């Protein structure tokens, strides 16, 4: 009998698959529940822009035809948004796809990528999937005054060597919600050897309100080794149709595009994304709802006495003080899906996305019940 594991690529043998947020339908089926809510994948509780929905419905009529492989309309819209030529834009099926394309184009056996501990899990998967070596830098300590568990740029720099081709930086990072300021990130990129790509993943850029937070897409002219990725899955509410993109120098863009198969993203995604970019009011409403939801959840976690990592995103990562996986399981039984993060080495934390106000209340009540704590001043008195 052939054992295929002996024949598959080195990196893939060691690869741990991505643990996605559980779908609502699965939990309803498994636990015989109805009315399950999902606060597990940092999706937009408002959904996409009505303009995006209308554009996708209209697109359905043409669905027998392949999409525009060069995504003309989407690239035009993105070029206008960022003030760059379309020769600097690569579109794909979610920004995960772009991460994979960068790994395919630049990593491989004998090469390495550097990430921070607690960095978004996909970086490890695409690196190992390319059979390259993954170097993991120590993160800020839990007692760090402003960015506990955040990226330590000095530690990342120290791991770059002659084999390194890519450094993945999540700004802000998921699952920690931590972020890097303009001066520190700019200095860092300037110190990375020009032969090493710095990929800055800005999946949550729309949510960040800190004045010191940099929009790295402005630095593309200065740093030919910079790649910035963005997504329509988070603030734009289009996770289900998978649209993301990368901005980079024309040369890097050409190389990434060589490994991209022609018809990504799909036709609905392309149409939805173009229309979503044209709805500033929906994005504003999304950010307002998120601001209120982040505060609502933070106040609830404070009342429950649960410390959290300071987050600038649309989720909180809270320390529930006992194995997070057990609390996650107990919450599933209450019909609330959150995200355990023990796979990141955060064994007592849970990552909880902002939902609609009534969903946030339901999560807080369920969490209080599961932890045996009452919400409110008489904490500890109730069951
Ligand atoms: C959600 C997320 C992404 C990308 O998601 P796509 O749906 O593939 O665009 C990328 N990076 C981080 C840090 C994320 O949290």
């Amino acid at each position: 009998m052939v054992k295929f594991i002996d024949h598959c690529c080195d990196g893939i043998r060691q690869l741990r698959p991505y643990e996605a947020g559980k779908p609502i339908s699965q939990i309803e089926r498994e636990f015989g529940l109805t009315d399950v809510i999902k606060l597990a994948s940092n999706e937009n509780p408002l959904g996409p822009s009505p303009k995006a929905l209308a554009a996708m419905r209209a697109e359905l009529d043409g669905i027998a035809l392949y999409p525009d492989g060069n995504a003309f309309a989407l690239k035009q819209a993105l070029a206008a948004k960022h003030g760059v030529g379309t020769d600097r834009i690569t579109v794909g099926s979610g920004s995960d796809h772009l991460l994979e394309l960068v790994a395919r184009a630049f990593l491989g056996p004998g090469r390495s990528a550097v990430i921070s501990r607690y960095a978004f899990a996909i970086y490890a998967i695409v690196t190992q999937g390319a059979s390259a070596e993954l170097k993991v830098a120590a993160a800020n300590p839990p007692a760090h005054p402003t960015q506990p568990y955040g990226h330590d740029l000095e530690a990342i720099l120290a791991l770059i060597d002659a084999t390194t081709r890519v450094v993945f930086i999540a700004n802000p990072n998921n699952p920690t919600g931590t972020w890097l300021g303009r001066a520190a990130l700019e200095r860092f990129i300037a110190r990375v050897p020009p032969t090493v790509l710095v990929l800055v993943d800005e999946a949550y850029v729309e949510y960040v309100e800190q004045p010191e937070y940099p929009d790295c897409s402005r630095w593309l002219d200065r740093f030919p080794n910079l790649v910035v990725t963005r997504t329509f899955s988070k603030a734009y509410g289009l996770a289900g149709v998978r649209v993301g993109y990368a901005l980079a120098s024309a040369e890097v863009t050409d190389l990434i595009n060589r490994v991209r198969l022609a018809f990504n993203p799909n036709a609905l995604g392309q149409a939805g994304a173009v229309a979503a970019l044209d709805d500033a009011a929906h994005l504003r409403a999304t950010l307002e709802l998120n601001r209120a939801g982040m505060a609502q959840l933070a106040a609830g976690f404070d009342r429950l006495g649960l410390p959290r990592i300071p987050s600038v995103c649309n989720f909180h990562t809270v320390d529930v003080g006992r194995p997070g996986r057990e609390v996650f399981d107990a919450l599933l039984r209450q019909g609330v899906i959150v995200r355990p993060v023990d796979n990141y080495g955060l064994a007592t934390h849970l990552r909880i996305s902002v939902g609609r106000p009534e969903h946030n209340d339901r999560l807080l009540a369920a969490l209080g019940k599961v932890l045996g704590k009452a919400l409110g001043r008489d904490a500890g008195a109730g069951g």
Side-chain angles (χ1 to χ4, degrees):
M1 265 284 270
V2 175
K3 289 185 71 190
F4 286 101
I5 188 142
D6 297 331
H7 297 274
C8 88
C9 304
D10 285 346
I12 292 169
R13 226 172 295 167
Q14 288 139 29
L15 202 154
R16 252 198 299 170
Y18 187 70
E19 183 183 351
K22 291 197 185 296
I24 288 174
S25 56
Q26 180 189 338
I27 298 310
E28 294 189 339
R29 207 165 53 233
E30 285 181 7
F31 294 91
L33 296 170
T34 54
D35 199 25
V36 168
I37 60 169
K38 182 183 177 201
L39 304 176
S41 299
N42 307 337
E43 293 136 334
N44 184 342
L46 274 188
S49 149
K51 290 187 181 179
L53 285 174
M56 290 189 288
R57 284 195 185 103
E59 191 66 26
L60 281 174
D61 291 336
I63 213 78
L65 303 182
Y66 280 103
D68 176 355
N70 195 36
F72 177 83
L74 178 54
K75 283 193 185 175
Q76 290 294 323
L78 291 171
K81 173 182 163 77
H82 291 288
V84 301
T86 53
D87 59 344
R88 294 179 150 211
I89 302 170
T90 312
V91 292
S93 295
S95 54
D96 285 357
H97 186 202
L98 277 309
L99 302 175
E100 190 179 24
L101 294 180
V102 167
R104 291 261 299 284
F106 289 94
L107 296 174
R111 299 176 173 206
S112 69
V114 180
I115 65 168
S116 172
R117 189 166 182 213
Y118 310 119
F120 185 48
I122 299 288
Y123 312 145
I125 292 174
V126 299
T127 299
Q128 291 177 287
S131 292
E133 185 195 349
L134 182 71
K135 294 172 183 277
V136 182
N140 290 341
H144 190 279
T146 56
Q147 302 289 316
Y149 305 95
H151 288 13
D152 176 344
L153 294 175
E154 289 299 324
I156 290 173
L157 272 174
L159 287 187
I160 296 174
D161 65 18
T163 67
T164 307
R165 294 292 185 280
V166 183
V167 176
F168 292 100
I169 301 286
N171 196 31
N173 184 41
N174 164 19
T176 57
T178 49
W179 62 287
L180 296 159
R182 182 175 296 112
L185 192 54
E186 200 170 359
R187 242 182 293 121
F188 168 82
I189 300 173
R191 286 170 66 196
V192 170
T195 50
V196 175
L197 292 184
V198 179
L199 187 149
V200 182
D201 175 348
E202 296 186 340
Y204 299 93
V205 59
E206 294 85 5
Y207 289 112
V208 187
E209 297 184 316
Q210 273 64 16
E212 287 309 306
Y213 175 80
D215 171 355
C216 292
S217 68
R218 307 250 173 94
W219 299 345
L220 290 167
D221 282 332
R222 290 176 42 213
F223 301 116
N225 58 332
L226 175 64
V227 181
V228 179
T229 57
R230 299 270 184 110
T231 182
F232 285 88
S233 299
K234 303 288 158 60
Y236 288 105
L238 288 169
V241 285
R242 319 294 308 123
V243 189
Y245 60 100
L247 304 171
S249 68
E251 190 189 0
V252 169
T253 300
D254 170 52
L255 293 167
I256 304 171
N257 260 300
R258 291 185 193 191
V259 285
R260 186 183 67 93
L261 301 178
F263 300 115
N264 296 298
N266 66 65
L268 296 184
Q270 292 188 30
V274 171
L277 286 173
D278 196 32
D279 195 345
H282 186 75
L283 186 60
R284 268 198 307 277
T286 295
L287 303 188
E288 256 167 57
L289 186 79
N290 189 62
R291 205 174 298 127
M294 286 294 279
Q296 181 188 0
L297 286 177
F301 299 139
D302 287 350
R303 286 200 301 278
L304 289 167
L306 305 178
R308 62 197 140 78
I309 305 174
S311 165
V312 295
C313 301
N314 61 343
F315 58 84
H316 284 296
T317 298
V318 288
D319 187 349
V320 293
R322 60 180 88 174
R325 179 107 4 207
E326 287 173 27
V327 178
F328 159 74
D329 280 331
L331 286 172
L332 287 183
R333 277 159 226 284
Q334 307 287 318
V336 181
I337 311 173
V338 298
R339 190 69 156 272
V341 282
D342 48 358
N343 56 323
Y344 284 94
L346 295 167
T348 64
H349 284 78
L350 289 176
R351 196 193 71 199
I352 298 170
S353 311
V354 167
R356 293 170 174 276
E358 64 275 20
H359 293 171
N360 300 332
D361 275 338
R362 210 177 124 191
L363 170 276
L364 290 169
L367 191 57
K369 190 172 164 194
V370 164
L371 296 175
K373 293 177 181 178
L375 280 173
R377 276 159 220 263
D378 56 344

